[in-house]
Amino acid sequence: MKKRVFALLLCGLLLLSLAACGGGGTTNPSPAQTGNATQAHGGASDTGEKPGTEVKGLALTDYSDMAYGYSMLCPDLWMSELQYTDCWTLKDKDENNSAIFAFSEYHPEPVFYDDKTAEVKNPQELLDCFLPMIRDILRGKTSASPGETITDIKWNEVSVSGLPAAEFRGAIDGGKLGSLGITGICVVGEKRPYVFWATDLSKDQSYLDMAQEVLEACVANFKEGS
C-alpha cells in the first residue's frame, strides 16, 4: 500500500515538472520583426538587436537583405518596403514622423533605374541615378511633393568595406513640408550600386546630424552578398 501511494506521489511530481518545462508563453517580436521581413525583396534578419549597439539613443539591429544577401546594421524600428528600398520611420515623442532611413539598391529594371546605373564607377554619380527612387519614397511615406534636385550638396569621400564610397549631405524641396535635410552614403559595390540615405522630416531640422551618424554606424561592417 505504501509503495502504491509513493508511486502515485511520484507520478504527480513528474507531471508538475513537465508542465513547468513546457508552459512558457510566446514573446513579443522586436520592432524590426513587425515589418515586412518575410517579403521577397528584403527585410531585417531575426538575429535580434546587437547588445550595446546604438547611436544617439537609437538601437541598431542586424539586417540581411533577402534578395541580394548583403548585410549591415539597421535602425531597430518598424520596417516597410517600397520599390526595392527598405524604409524605417523614426517618430518623436508625440508620434510625429521625424526622420526616414532607407536602404536602396540597384535593380536591373529600366522602370526604376537607367541601364547605365550598373556601370557607374564614381559613387558621387549614383545620387542622380537614385534620385527618382528617393523622390518616390518621400512621396509614398510622407505628404511631401519633393523637388527634382538636391541642393547645397557637400560630399565627403569615405570607404565602406574597401569599396568606393562617398557621403553626401544637402537639402530637397519637400513642398508644403518645406526644405528637408537629406544625407546618405553612395557605395559602388562589386555586385551592384547602393545608396543608404535618410531625410529629416522635423520642423526644426534637428535630426540630420543624428541620421548621418546612424547611417555611418550601419555601413561600418557592410558585407556584400550575391
Side-chain angles (χ1 to χ4, degrees):
M1 182 68 178
K2 288 182 180 179
K3 287 182 180 179
R4 225 162 151 197
V5 171
F6 180 75
L8 288 171
L9 286 171
L10 185 61
C11 288
L13 288 171
L14 286 171
L15 287 172
L16 284 172
S17 65
L18 286 171
C21 290
T26 58
T27 57
N28 293 325
S30 69
Q33 293 172 309
T34 60
N36 302 329
T38 58
Q39 298 182 77
H41 163 59
S45 69
D46 60 1
T47 53
E49 180 184 328
K50 272 187 179 299
T53 304
E54 66 174 47
V55 175
K56 301 291 187 180
L58 176 61
L60 305 180
T61 188
D62 290 324
Y63 171 92
S64 180
D65 185 83
M66 291 184 181
Y68 300 121
Y70 64 90
S71 61
M72 52 197 294
L73 294 179
C74 71
D76 193 14
L77 301 167
W78 187 88
M79 183 197 70
S80 62
E81 181 202 3
L82 186 62
Q83 288 189 356
Y84 303 103
T85 292
D86 281 341
C87 307
W88 296 263
T89 303
L90 178 68
K91 295 182 179 294
D92 61 20
K93 61 181 179 180
D94 298 319
E95 289 299 300
N96 297 314
N97 293 342
S98 55
I100 289 177
F101 298 91
F103 296 172
S104 303
E105 67 272 359
Y106 169 75
H107 189 274
E109 287 187 17
V111 67
F112 297 118
Y113 299 105
D114 189 289
D115 290 339
K116 296 179 181 178
T117 302
E119 302 172 5
V120 171
K121 301 302 179 185
N122 181 353
Q124 292 189 18
E125 295 177 12
L126 288 176
L127 186 53
D128 285 339
C129 297
F130 279 75
L131 186 54
M133 173 68 68
I134 292 172
R135 294 177 65 240
D136 202 50
I137 297 299
L138 287 177
R139 276 194 297 265
K141 302 297 290 184
T142 71
S143 58
S145 300
E148 296 184 0
T149 59
I150 294 178
T151 58
D152 302 322
I153 300 178
K154 294 181 180 178
W155 288 95
N156 179 36
E157 187 176 329
V158 294
S159 179
V160 175
S161 299
L163 300 169
E167 184 175 63
F168 68 88
R169 189 159 171 168
I172 187 169
D173 182 11
K176 65 181 180 180
L177 294 182
S179 180
L180 304 176
I182 183 168
T183 184
I185 301 170
C186 302
V187 180
V188 179
E190 294 179 354
K191 308 294 184 180
R192 61 189 49 82
Y194 313 84
V195 176
F196 308 109
W197 56 277
T199 50
D200 188 342
L201 303 176
S202 67
K203 291 182 179 179
D204 60 3
Q205 291 292 284
S206 58
Y207 287 86
L208 198 58
D209 288 340
M210 174 262 218
Q212 182 174 332
E213 289 187 44
V214 168
L215 289 178
E216 289 171 349
C218 286
V219 305
N221 293 307
F222 172 79
K223 293 180 181 178
E224 276 206 285
S226 58

